[in-house]
Amino acid sequence: MKTVLKSIVSRILIWESKKVLARYKPRVVAITGSVGKTSTKDVVAHVLGSRFKVRKSEKSFNSEIGLPLTVLGLPNAWSNPLGWVANILHGLSLILFPHDYPEMLVLEVGADRPGDIRRVATWLAPEMSIITYIGALPVHVEFFPSPKDLADEKGSLARAAGKGKILLLNNDDEVVRGMKEGSEATVLTYGFGPGADLAASEQHLYYEKGGEHDVPAGTIFTVLYEGQSYAVRLPHGVGRQAVYGALAAFAAGTQLGIDPEHVIAALLTFEGPPGRMKLLPGIKKTLIVDDTYNASPVAVEAALEVLGGIEMPGRKIAVLGDMMELGKYTIDAHKAAGFQVARNAEYLFTVGQRARFIADGALAEGMKESKIKSYDDSRAAGLALQDFLKKGDLVLVKGSQYVRMERAVLEVMAEPERAEQLLVRQEKEWQNR
């Protein structure tokens, strides 16, 4: 019965969304991918919001329910029937009566099952589509026959970008780059590799005084675009994924009429959302790289590269939880993450049954068993870290949202009283799970 009611509510909200889009005619930017779509959505919305009135998907409103909620400007009513009735009535009021509506919508589009994006693309009709990164083994692959089928589903958004539309593609992902073939849209590629229309280079961390030693404060890189070179600074942003998001925002902004200097100025004031490569002070004068929002094989590899590249006086510790929805690829993907751990960290804490295969991979790559500890839940791992940490240590914490790795961060962050502002999934609905 619950599934039937959800389907009915979804259909009503989608119908209302179509009518609202037709009435107010906002410019729609839609973003998908298997890695980086939420952070890209946030930075694109930030840059475009410096010039236009923008509404973006809140949290990860990227499903057949979440997208209409964003179009209609409504909250998730969760299990409250009266809340859903109120949402539907508000949607009708947007159709029947004039409202102050955003000039632009920046929407994240997800794919949990086959057909998800194809269905959305039929009614959303974005002016601009952005495909971030898919990788060889994307998240949610468990529900698709193969990684290729999932990539094809993500590509539905690219195929929906026809003549007169704009398509932005990550040039460093071979599958994503191939989506430009045969496209009638205006296509721009971005990335680090050769041939990108917006090419990043000279990426490096910059450091600031943090008490007894310097701490990473952000990233600096150069963008080459239309024969011009631009220096970009990302305060608070670390790692290649932060640069990818900034490149997508640079491309989106300039394609929609914002001059490059204005885009660069907007990027200076962007601070990413919680749980996405956030640098947090830890207890005992340690530093935490909080990447607890979610996890996929590509994202874990990227986060471990950041861990390996940061200079700190203490030890490097990887605290990694299960990666979910990988199906038959689960064991191999976790073992591969373990190989990366051995190359970038000195100690490993695992959380969950699947993550024990990360330990197997690390052992196979030469990490000593004495430097690996395994736990069944994230809070236990966090409590163990309290005693383990020493001054100057650097800790990466990451895992799929199911494992709730933010609970480990809560146990070792220097300001637990600010958890509601600094950590992901602090809403009442999440805390009750």
Side-chain angles (χ1 to χ4, degrees):
M1 186 66 175
K2 185 177 179 180
T3 302
V4 173
L5 290 175
K6 180 179 178 181
S7 177
I8 293 171
V9 169
S10 175
R11 292 186 182 197
I12 293 172
L13 293 177
I14 289 172
W15 178 84
E16 290 182 338
S17 295
K18 292 177 183 178
K19 296 296 182 182
V20 165
L21 292 173
R23 172 165 188 162
Y24 297 100
K25 296 180 173 55
R27 305 173 77 177
V28 177
V29 177
I31 302 168
T32 196
S34 293
V35 180
K37 60 180 179 292
T38 301
S39 53
T40 299
K41 174 257 299 180
D42 287 325
V43 67
V44 168
H46 179 80
V47 167
L48 297 181
S50 68
R51 180 61 58 85
F52 306 100
K53 182 178 181 182
V54 171
R55 177 188 294 161
K56 68 175 181 177
S57 302
E58 292 301 326
K59 310 301 180 184
S60 281
F61 274 14
N62 62 20
S63 64
E64 284 193 292
I65 285 281
L67 279 167
L69 289 177
T70 303
V71 172
L72 300 172
L74 301 172
N76 191 334
W78 296 95
S79 299
N80 182 357
L82 292 179
W84 288 113
V85 171
N87 278 349
I88 290 170
L89 291 175
H90 181 79
L92 287 173
S93 75
L94 284 172
I95 298 168
L96 297 173
F97 308 105
H99 285 68
D100 183 22
Y101 196 82
E103 297 172 88
M104 286 190 176
L105 300 176
V106 179
L107 306 175
E108 177 182 337
V109 183
D112 291 334
R113 299 291 196 281
D116 283 352
I117 293 181
R118 283 194 293 273
R119 285 191 294 271
V120 167
T122 61
W123 63 267
L124 195 57
E127 175 181 348
M128 174 181 288
S129 298
I130 304 175
I131 319 295
T132 59
Y133 203 97
I134 294 176
L137 189 57
V139 71
H140 304 309
V141 71
E142 178 180 8
F143 305 112
F144 289 80
S146 71
K148 182 180 181 301
D149 291 284
L150 177 52
D152 184 67
E153 183 65 35
K154 301 283 186 179
S156 298
L157 198 62
R159 292 190 294 274
K163 195 171 183 178
K165 307 294 185 179
I166 302 169
L167 179 59
L168 307 183
L169 302 173
N170 188 319
N171 196 63
D172 295 342
D173 185 312
E174 183 179 358
V175 173
V176 175
R177 183 172 66 246
M179 293 177 186
K180 67 182 177 182
E181 298 300 326
S183 177
E184 295 183 345
T186 297
V187 181
L188 267 80
T189 58
Y190 62 89
F192 290 86
D197 297 309
L198 287 89
S201 63
E202 303 175 19
Q203 174 201 347
H204 63 274
L205 290 171
Y206 67 92
Y207 292 75
E208 294 178 352
K209 282 290 182 184
E212 298 179 16
H213 54 81
D214 292 348
V215 295
T219 299
I220 296 174
F221 65 99
T222 299
V223 177
L224 182 64
Y225 175 55
E226 294 187 337
Q228 298 292 317
S229 182
Y230 302 92
V232 180
R233 181 185 293 263
L234 298 177
H236 317 291
V238 295
R240 181 166 286 220
Q241 296 304 321
V243 176
Y244 280 140
L247 287 171
F250 194 106
T254 53
Q255 285 297 298
L256 294 174
I258 305 177
D259 65 80
E261 288 76 15
H262 188 93
V263 170
I264 292 169
L267 289 171
L268 278 172
T269 61
F270 175 71
E271 185 169 353
R276 296 166 180 87
M277 297 303 292
K278 299 290 287 187
L279 300 175
L280 302 178
I283 60 173
K284 302 179 183 179
K285 298 182 180 179
T286 59
L287 183 66
I288 302 167
V289 182
D290 175 13
D291 201 24
T292 55
Y293 171 71
N294 211 345
S296 68
V298 172
V300 168
E301 180 180 352
L304 286 167
E305 287 178 357
V306 171
L307 177 68
I310 293 177
E311 297 177 8
M312 287 285 287
R315 303 166 298 176
K316 294 184 178 181
I317 305 159
V319 184
L320 302 178
D322 292 346
M323 293 184 286
M324 306 299 291
E325 300 178 348
L326 296 176
K328 64 183 180 181
Y329 305 100
T330 296
I331 294 176
D332 288 345
H334 284 81
K335 285 184 176 179
F339 301 157
Q340 292 294 323
V341 170
R343 298 165 192 163
N344 292 285
E346 297 164 69
Y347 293 87
L348 169 65
F349 286 48
T350 71
V351 178
Q353 294 302 309
R354 298 166 186 80
R356 291 177 186 269
F357 293 111
I358 300 177
D360 292 343
L363 285 168
E365 193 67 11
M367 181 174 273
K368 294 181 179 179
E369 189 172 0
S370 61
K371 295 189 174 184
I372 301 173
K373 301 179 184 297
S374 295
Y375 301 89
D376 292 330
D377 68 85
S378 56
R379 188 170 281 118
L383 290 171
L385 274 173
Q386 288 181 355
D387 294 329
F388 183 78
L389 290 178
K390 297 178 181 179
K391 183 172 69 173
D393 283 349
L394 177 65
V395 188
L396 167 68
V397 187
K398 187 169 181 62
S400 288
Q401 66 176 17
Y402 174 83
V403 198
R404 304 297 301 277
M405 294 299 290
E406 74 276 4
R407 291 170 173 164
V409 177
L410 179 62
E411 300 297 337
V412 292
M413 65 190 297
E415 301 175 286
E417 68 278 4
R418 295 185 61 207
E420 189 172 340
Q421 293 79 43
L422 297 177
L423 300 185
V424 71
R425 289 183 288 274
Q426 297 304 296
E427 298 86 358
K428 181 180 177 182
E429 292 81 10
W430 277 106
Q431 293 301 303
N432 290 336
R433 296 188 185 185

